[in-house]
Amino acid sequence: MSTTALAPALANKRVLICVGSGGVGKTTVAATLALRAAVEGRQSLVCTIDPAKRLANSLGLSALGNAETQVPASALQPLGITPRAALYAMMLDMKQTWDDLITRVAPPEQRERILANRFYQSLSTALAGSQEYIAMEKVWELRRKGEYELVVLDTPPTAHALDFLDAPNRVLDFLDNEAAKWLLAPALKAGKLGLSLFNRSGYVLRALSKFTGTEMLQELSSFMLSLSGMNEGFRERARGVRSLLEDKTTGFVLVTSPHPERMDEAIHFNTLLKQHRMEVVSLVVNRVHPLPTEAMWADAATLTPTRRAKVEETLRELQVLAEQDQKGIAQLQAACPGIPLIRVPRFGLDVHDITSLWQTGRYLLGDDTF
């Protein structure tokens, strides 16, 4: 039985992070890796941000939520396999995860004020990098608890790789924003009195209020005031997230499809990961068109002339697509030297159940090749 670079990663890494563009199969790859790790004896958790039900359904669950749910061993019965360790899954609710974080780290007298603050509500849902940061923050928290031997993260689909890689830095930059502190200094120093005098706190604030609205500035000031005693705690956690990304027990699985645009994005992502000193354990090219086999051509030759012509036309189209994929993969491999590359074929049906997850895993781990 052959193996791929993912076999030692499943055996030795504590965190695997599936990254790449949206729509390339990251969720499927993440679930498959966690499934294989559990079958082979490591208690595993897959964290996804995909709200679609197909992951839950493929794992034998009716739904996933913001808490870890154990996948029943009976879900693997169609495979005739008994896992040697437990498999868990969860779907991160970003807003709820931010709220849970504030509830854990904020002093009791500040929690409700922060949670009700409109600026905080925008931060937890719309600030660039907040979704990516809180996903990694959750993984860091899970890693600290040590309940799972392997955590596999299905990252948010991101148009720009730096949104994910720089998420901890964005949070730190926001907390350390000297310009904001300077502008809000009167309110921060004066506390509630400063807020009541906000409109008279200076020319700069009055000018800003014309563009942003005094109420919004008050919300921002209130938010900064509420966080002022918690900044170091947030910085420590953000530094922990950053360290986790660079840790030797963390590995990245870069997932792409053979579409030229997606492969260009994968090359860019790989470059950035290297620049950030992060380990890419494997490059997975998903949904690759397989070349028609000799048996397919032979079968077509036995058909009636009309049907033979149609089937052979389909086979020729498939061959063109497969050759285009192979050419693109060769260029991808040349642009990412030293990164082990795994091909997963395009299946006849979408991955929707435990059997198709297992089939995907056979290609990811090298049991099957094409």
Side-chain angles (χ1 to χ4, degrees):
M1 179 180 68
S2 61
T3 60
T4 68
L6 284 175
L10 279 189
N12 301 309
K13 297 295 184 185
R14 298 297 305 275
V15 175
L16 287 176
I17 303 173
C18 296
V19 294
S21 305
V24 296
K26 293 195 304 292
T27 303
T28 296
V29 171
T32 300
L33 293 175
L35 169 63
R36 286 293 296 247
V39 167
E40 294 171 12
R42 302 188 76 197
Q43 182 159 294
S44 303
L45 168 71
V46 55
C47 300
T48 182
I49 45 74
D50 188 351
K53 280 191 172 183
R54 64 178 182 274
L55 174 60
N57 295 339
S58 67
L59 293 172
L61 302 170
S62 58
L64 289 175
N66 207 49
E68 303 103 297
T69 301
Q70 184 171 357
V71 177
S74 59
L76 276 69
Q77 285 181 351
L79 303 174
I81 293 171
T82 301
R84 293 164 51 202
L87 171 64
Y88 292 79
M90 67 184 299
M91 186 190 75
L92 290 178
D93 179 318
M94 295 300 168
K95 181 65 169 62
Q96 184 61 50
T97 305
W98 269 108
D99 290 352
D100 290 345
L101 174 60
I102 294 297
T103 300
R104 284 198 308 272
V105 303
E109 67 276 7
Q110 293 179 231
R111 289 173 191 161
E112 292 306 317
R113 188 161 64 249
I114 294 173
L115 293 173
N117 184 276
R118 286 191 301 166
F119 193 83
Y120 160 74
Q121 292 169 4
S122 296
L123 166 72
S124 60
T125 56
L127 182 69
S130 66
Q131 187 183 46
E132 290 81 1
Y133 170 74
I134 200 61
M136 279 306 308
E137 213 282 345
K138 183 68 174 181
V139 172
W140 178 72
E141 186 69 34
L142 291 165
R143 178 73 176 81
R144 283 208 314 168
K145 290 181 179 179
E147 296 176 2
Y148 302 100
E149 294 177 86
L150 175 66
V151 177
V152 185
L153 175 63
D154 164 34
T155 56
T158 175
H160 304 288
L162 283 174
D163 286 347
F164 175 76
L165 297 176
D166 276 357
N169 292 337
R170 286 175 186 266
V171 172
L172 290 173
D173 288 345
F174 174 77
L175 294 173
D176 290 328
N177 192 318
E178 295 300 327
K181 291 177 182 177
W182 176 72
L183 289 172
L184 299 171
L188 290 171
K189 289 179 181 178
K192 292 182 180 178
L193 178 62
L195 290 176
S196 67
L197 298 175
F198 197 82
N199 286 328
R200 300 192 298 275
S201 60
Y203 170 79
V204 176
L205 288 176
R206 288 198 300 273
L208 276 176
S209 68
K210 295 178 182 178
F211 297 97
T212 64
T214 300
E215 186 179 356
M216 186 59 193
L217 286 175
Q218 288 174 327
E219 291 280 343
L220 174 57
S221 180
S222 176
F223 177 68
M224 297 290 285
L225 183 63
S226 298
L227 284 186
S228 60
M230 299 164 52
N231 281 6
E232 186 51 42
F234 272 106
R235 289 190 193 96
E236 181 182 353
R237 298 179 78 87
R239 286 193 292 265
V241 169
R242 183 69 188 185
S243 296
L244 177 63
L245 290 171
E246 299 174 0
D247 195 276
K248 291 183 178 180
T249 62
T250 297
F252 287 79
V253 180
L254 183 49
V255 185
T256 186
S257 70
H259 189 281
E261 182 180 349
R262 295 291 178 262
M263 288 194 286
D264 287 344
E265 291 167 355
I267 292 169
H268 179 56
F269 217 142
N270 179 63
T271 300
L272 290 174
L273 285 166
K274 281 189 171 183
Q275 290 174 352
H276 284 72
R277 302 184 303 280
M278 298 170 190
E279 180 187 1
V280 179
V281 297
S282 185
L283 178 57
V284 175
V285 185
N286 196 24
R287 302 170 186 158
V288 179
H289 292 89
L291 283 165
T293 64
E294 292 184 6
M296 292 178 180
W297 290 104
D299 288 344
T302 65
L303 301 174
T304 61
T306 302
R307 293 193 62 189
R308 176 179 179 176
K310 291 181 179 179
V311 171
E312 287 185 343
E313 181 180 2
T314 299
L315 291 176
R316 283 191 291 271
E317 291 174 353
L318 180 59
Q319 181 152 349
V320 169
L321 290 172
E323 289 173 351
Q324 288 176 344
D325 287 356
Q326 295 303 324
K327 181 179 179 181
I329 290 171
Q331 293 172 346
L332 178 63
Q333 203 156 25
C336 302
I339 306 298
L341 188 144
I342 300 169
R343 297 171 177 84
V344 178
R346 176 181 291 272
F347 300 133
L349 296 174
D350 191 20
V351 176
H352 65 285
D353 59 15
I354 201 75
T355 301
S356 50
L357 277 182
W358 189 256
Q359 184 183 10
T360 301
R362 292 187 60 83
Y363 286 96
L364 290 175
L365 275 298
D367 304 332
D368 290 333
T369 58
F370 77 104

